Amino acid sequence: MMSDAKGQDKRVWRGVLVLAIAGVLAGCASGGTQQERHPDDPWEGFNRKMFAFNDVLDRYALKPVARAYRFVTPDPVETGVGNVFSNLGEPRTALNSLLQGKPRNASVATARFLINSTVGVGGLWDVASRLEVTGRKEDFGQTLGAWGWEESRYLVLPLFGPSTVRDAGGQPVDIYSYPTTYIEDDGTRLGLTALRLVDTRAGILDQEALIQGDRYSFVRDAWLQQRRFEVSDGELGDDPFASDEFNFDDGDFDDAFAD
């Protein structure tokens, strides 16, 4: 049985945060009329150009590879690959939990890493969640938010997609707290990074169909809302994507992305 925290993670990936990532990597930059300037997006002109740049890279490179990866990879293998990369993120969560003064979440992340790395055979199986050992994911952007930098200007990064000035500043810490960074062999390290990117992209192919209207604005507003929820640990209210009403039928995806 999937635990509450595991289910929360799944809903988030099905929710608009996933759409935000997919939209910047895979969505077309909207050519619609300019809306009133968003208070958190003073650099909208630049951000829309980065949005379009990311779209070109995705449309002609990443998305076709992701589709091929999904086609040839059995579902259990794809799930196992995703589990491995998720497990490698637990040390980052433990570190940032300590920096935020959350020793319990740090201990949970450490326990998850140890359990899944051993009993779960390197993280292929998420045994910890089956044992209901679950917690919140944390990164350095959330740590900066906990330290008082709660609001920040929206920024679309080349290749990386939606972010803020705060979260972009935290990326170096996130990179150096991820274990694959310390693999000395360049080929192995780059190969794992590419596999992680393709696996993540393949996992969100279907969710792109949920993006509506001005794609840029949809992605921006959704990403900022979800990010505020994460930084505040849900204190802004219920996760808007955790409701049982946030369900979609297969028909919702039939007509989208027919290219």
Side-chain angles (χ1 to χ4, degrees), residues 86-97 109-110 113 138 177-179:
S86 178
N87 184 55
L88 291 175
E90 297 294 353
R92 173 190 296 167
T93 291
L95 170 63
N96 283 286
S97 295
T110 301
F113 183 72
E138 302 286 351
S177 59
Y178 198 78

Side-chain angles (χ1 to χ4, degrees), residues 19 36-37 69 93 97 150 158 161 190 253:
L19 303 182
E36 183 178 351
R37 184 177 297 276
Y69 171 79
T93 291
S97 295
E150 297 180 1
L190 294 175
F253 303 103

Side-chain angles (χ1 to χ4, degrees), residues 22-101:
V24 173
L25 290 176
C28 299
S30 172
T33 59
Q34 187 75 15
Q35 303 294 325
E36 183 178 351
R37 184 177 297 276
H38 192 287
D40 294 324
D41 188 12
W43 306 317
E44 183 171 342
F46 169 83
N47 286 334
R48 284 183 179 270
K49 291 177 181 178
M50 289 302 99
F51 189 90
F53 173 77
N54 288 337
D55 167 62
V56 172
L57 292 179
D58 180 76
R59 183 174 295 273
Y60 296 105
L62 182 56
K63 189 174 182 178
V65 174
R67 282 175 168 169
Y69 171 79
R70 170 181 278 189
F71 180 77
V72 302
T73 306
D75 288 344
V77 175
E78 187 174 345
T79 298
V81 171
N83 286 342
V84 169
F85 290 124
S86 178
N87 184 55
L88 291 175
E90 297 294 353
R92 173 190 296 167
T93 291
L95 170 63
N96 283 286
S97 295
L98 289 174
L99 293 174
Q100 295 175 39

Side-chain angles (χ1 to χ4, degrees), residues 101-259:
K102 302 174 182 176
R104 183 182 181 281
N105 202 61
S107 65
V108 168
T110 301
R112 284 182 55 81
F113 183 72
L114 293 175
I115 293 171
N116 287 339
S117 297
T118 54
V119 183
V121 190
L124 283 171
W125 289 280
D126 187 3
V127 179
S129 289
R130 292 181 178 274
L131 297 176
E132 298 188 354
V133 180
T134 58
R136 287 184 177 274
K137 296 290 185 181
E138 302 286 351
D139 56 48
F140 197 65
Q142 290 168 264
T143 297
L144 292 174
W147 287 354
W149 194 351
E150 297 180 1
E151 297 294 333
S152 182
R153 294 180 176 183
Y154 184 66
L155 179 65
V156 179
L157 300 175
L159 305 179
F160 289 95
S163 187
T164 61
V165 174
R166 177 198 62 214
D167 294 327
Q171 280 196 359
V173 176
D174 289 337
I175 291 172
Y176 283 102
S177 59
Y178 198 78
T180 57
T181 302
Y182 300 97
I183 297 177
E184 294 184 357
D185 182 74
D186 291 341
T188 301
R189 184 178 65 256
L190 294 175
L192 287 173
T193 300
L195 177 60
R196 180 186 176 196
L197 178 61
V198 171
D199 180 75
T200 300
R201 185 66 182 87
I204 59 177
L205 284 170
D206 293 337
Q207 281 78 4
E208 299 171 44
L210 305 178
I211 302 176
Q212 301 177 2
D214 178 14
R215 297 175 63 85
Y216 172 83
S217 297
F218 183 97
V219 167
R220 176 196 62 201
D221 296 345
W223 191 90
L224 287 173
Q225 181 181 9
Q226 181 63 35
R227 193 59 176 158
R228 288 190 182 103
F229 180 87
E230 293 171 343
V231 170
S232 67
D233 287 340
E235 292 181 4
L236 294 178
D238 294 335
D239 184 346
F241 313 120
S243 170
D244 291 338
E245 297 179 358
F246 192 72
N247 293 321
F248 302 93
D249 298 326
D250 291 340
D252 294 331
F253 303 103
D254 288 345
D255 298 327
F257 298 94
D259 58 325

